[in-house]
Amino acid sequence: MADKTTGGLPAVEEASIGSLPGIADLYDDSLLPVEQQGEARHMTGRQWKRYAQAGVAQYVEDAKDAADKALEAVNKVGSAVEDARASAEDAKKSAESAKQYSGKPPVIIDGRWWTWNAERQEYVDTGEAARGNVMYAVFFVDAASGELYMVTDEEYTGPGFRLRDGELEVVLNGG
């Protein structure tokens, strides 16, 4: 019958256990003596590893989940920072452009409006005539004579008008 105090192993004095050389690492095929339910047994390094892994598995999963959530939050913050940086750059460019335009009002050159083009750094012709005069026809009837009159500016280039059989007609394209 096995000795219950040593599990069938030869008795080793307590002082001599501490004097045994230590191991540098626990390998999968290492054998370790254990006592289980009063009997001497052995365990391998692989069994100890699985036991340790099972004991921390839930903590590892929780840590992985927390790390994934943290990474997701960092990515969102990084994206928001990039968006903010791009918006700030756009605002800076708009402010610089506005500053440039504020010092360059539209001007009249050769009877046309010219506006500042910030990209080209020069005034460009809009093709629009710069006229300050009335650019439409004004009609009135002389109360004394009953005659219809049309008044236009010298530079008027709109449609013409004529009376034909008592009807006022609009004349387009000169004809």
Side-chain angles (χ1 to χ4, degrees):
M1 182 165 185
D3 181 354
K4 294 223 179 225
T5 58
T6 61
L9 298 175
V12 178
E13 290 182 26
E14 194 172 314
S16 67
I17 291 175
S19 63
L20 291 173
I23 60 172
D25 204 354
L26 182 60
Y27 302 110
D28 285 351
D29 58 353
S30 297
L31 292 176
L32 301 139
V34 294
E35 179 275 328
Q36 186 177 40
Q37 297 176 345
E39 293 185 17
R41 307 254 181 195
H42 76 269
M43 280 185 83
T44 64
R46 184 177 297 113
Q47 287 173 301
W48 276 105
K49 187 190 306 181
R50 286 187 192 139
Y51 175 76
Q53 287 171 338
V56 298
Q58 182 58 47
Y59 302 110
V60 170
E61 287 304 313
D62 290 347
K64 283 181 182 176
D65 290 345
D68 288 343
K69 288 178 183 174
L71 180 59
E72 184 178 320
V74 166
N75 288 337
K76 285 181 182 177
V77 168
S79 177
V81 167
E82 286 304 313
D83 290 349
R85 185 174 287 126
S87 293
E89 189 61 32
D90 289 347
K92 180 181 174 184
K93 287 178 184 175
S94 292
E96 289 170 0
S97 179
K99 183 178 178 182
Q100 227 183 73
Y101 282 110
S102 69
K104 307 279 193 225
V107 295
I108 300 171
I109 300 174
D110 296 329
R112 291 185 310 277
W113 284 108
W114 290 62
T115 57
W116 182 252
N117 183 311
E119 287 181 19
R120 293 173 45 184
Q121 292 291 300
E122 65 182 1
Y123 278 96
V124 294
D125 187 355
T126 65
E128 294 291 323
R131 295 191 178 108
N133 299 330
V134 177
M135 298 306 293
Y136 52 89
V138 176
F139 297 90
F140 70 92
V141 175
D142 183 336
S145 67
E147 291 187 27
L148 176 65
Y149 291 92
M150 180 177 92
V151 179
T152 62
D153 185 62
E154 291 176 12
E155 298 174 353
Y156 177 73
T157 59
F161 298 89
R162 68 176 168 227
L163 280 175
R164 183 175 286 179
D165 298 326
E167 299 283 327
L168 180 62
E169 295 180 346
V170 176
V171 180
L172 301 175
N173 297 328

